Amino acid sequence: MHSTVALFNILKKDSTAPQSRPVPQHIAVIMDGNGRWAKKRALPRTAGHKVGAETFRTIATYCKDIGVKYFTVYAFSTENWKRPAEEVETLMNLFRRYLREAIETMAENNIAVRVLGDLTALPEDIRSLIDECEQTGKQLDNPAIASLCINYGGRDEIKNAMRALARQVQAGELQPDDITEEMISSQLYTADMPDPDLIIRPSGEIRTSNFLLWQSAYAEYYFTDVLWPDFKPEHMDQAIESFNGRQRRFGGV
Ligand code: FPP
């Protein structure tokens, strides 16, 4: 991995991406399979995360290039702290490196990088980088949004939203019967974002693992056996093709 490589390289003009199809407004990915990718090569798990981070770079760039406005990835769950210290440290170092790169290259690529999750548990220097990212992103004009979910858990997010609304009820500012779904959405980390249209899980696992629980109510899921470090733009094309072939009825007929 080269630190000199821009975070979001602009794809070459001769990209074979089909250009005329519709694309989902918001795509989210559970970046799974890094450990198995490394194991297959007799490498440490951390090597899988390093390649997985490069894949994030490539796929986030690709999504922006084909017109996806929001791209959100599950990078570290509230449960991932249970992993070996060395693995956690590697992931934190990857976040440091990519956030620094993002701050430098965001304006040139017009992609705002955000971090969603309970940031209070993160090391102070990472929180500063996240703040800087947020500030830099705010100065962009209608950017694509790439969100990293770090120390994120769907239940934890909903619990925090409930607590915030409960506090408003306790203060007499809100009646329980006046609580709406929109109010709950507005307390989530994704408050100013549309719900994901398409959620992709690579690596053959078929579960949601506490990712965007509230927001995924009407999302289309796409599962593939490809491991995240092997995930290429052509796999994104396949996921979008599958999505475009589905009829979304949102509970209607
Ligand atoms: C799940 O695969 C993956 C993670 C817990 C971490 C995902 C993080 C990255 C890809 C690095 C992200 C960094 C940036 C800067 C975007 P796993 O380790 O559980 O794989 P396994 O199920 O095969 O063991």
Side-chain angles (χ1 to χ4, degrees):
M1 192 154 46
H2 308 287
S3 59
T4 49
V5 176
L7 175 56
F8 296 106
N9 299 318
I10 301 303
L11 284 182
K12 293 191 186 79
K13 287 269 185 300
D14 64 355
S15 165
T16 53
Q19 297 301 332
S20 56
R21 66 195 160 158
V23 294
Q25 183 184 27
H26 185 175
I27 297 179
V29 178
I30 300 172
M31 303 188 291
D32 199 10
N34 299 340
R36 277 163 284 166
W37 183 92
K39 195 173 174 196
K40 269 170 56 180
R41 289 160 180 79
L43 294 169
R45 295 176 54 79
T46 48
H49 294 316
K50 287 175 189 165
V51 178
E54 287 294 309
T55 303
F56 162 75
R57 187 207 304 271
T58 304
I59 299 298
T61 306
Y62 184 67
C63 282
K64 189 232 163 178
D65 196 63
I66 61 176
V68 175
K69 173 84 177 165
Y70 297 89
F71 180 66
T72 303
V73 294
Y74 206 177
F76 193 89
S77 78
T78 43
E79 286 69 44
N80 286 155
W81 298 106
K82 290 184 258 179
R83 295 190 174 208
E86 189 205 341
E87 185 170 341
V88 171
E89 191 51 30
T90 297
L91 286 165
M92 293 299 145
N93 283 336
L94 284 170
F95 300 146
R96 284 187 178 93
R97 175 191 290 204
Y98 278 73
L99 287 168
R100 277 195 207 105
E101 285 186 20
I103 293 161
E104 282 170 24
T105 60
M106 239 188 234
E108 158 193 341
N109 297 315
N110 208 33
I111 299 182
V113 174
R114 291 183 183 169
V115 178
L116 312 179
D118 177 2
L119 309 184
T120 57
L122 297 178
E124 195 52 49
D125 68 309
I126 295 188
R127 290 171 65 181
S128 301
L129 288 170
I130 292 170
D131 270 355
E132 212 180 318
C133 244
E134 195 72 34
Q135 296 315 317
T136 313
K138 276 186 189 150
Q139 290 156 26
L140 303 181
D141 181 24
N142 194 24
I145 313 288
S147 303
L148 299 175
C149 294
I150 300 181
N151 196 28
Y152 175 88
R155 286 186 172 183
D156 188 60
E157 179 183 37
I158 293 170
K159 177 199 74 188
N160 290 337
M162 295 304 112
R163 284 183 178 171
L165 292 175
R167 277 192 286 273
Q168 291 179 29
V169 170
Q170 190 179 38
E173 296 158 8
L174 181 64
Q175 292 302 312
D177 286 344
D178 291 339
I179 294 175
T180 61
E181 292 186 8
E182 289 70 27
M183 281 180 199
I184 296 173
S185 293
S186 72
Q187 295 294 338
L188 303 177
Y189 302 125
T190 49
D192 56 351
M193 290 163 60
D195 287 342
D197 303 293
L198 170 63
I199 299 183
I200 299 171
R201 182 162 194 160
S203 93
E205 307 292 353
I206 307 182
R207 54 178 173 266
T208 61
S209 296
N210 207 11
F211 185 48
L212 301 178
L213 290 184
W214 176 271
Q215 300 88 334
S216 62
Y218 289 102
E220 297 290 330
Y221 278 89
Y222 180 83
F223 298 99
T224 169
D225 288 340
V226 174
L227 303 174
W228 176 248
D230 288 330
F231 197 94
K232 303 278 183 304
E234 73 211 52
H235 300 119
M236 183 54 82
D237 287 341
Q238 286 159 13
I240 292 173
E241 199 182 318
S242 167
F243 174 86
N244 283 340
R246 301 182 196 183
Q247 203 190 0
R248 299 179 83 195
R249 291 192 294 275
F250 300 96
V253 286

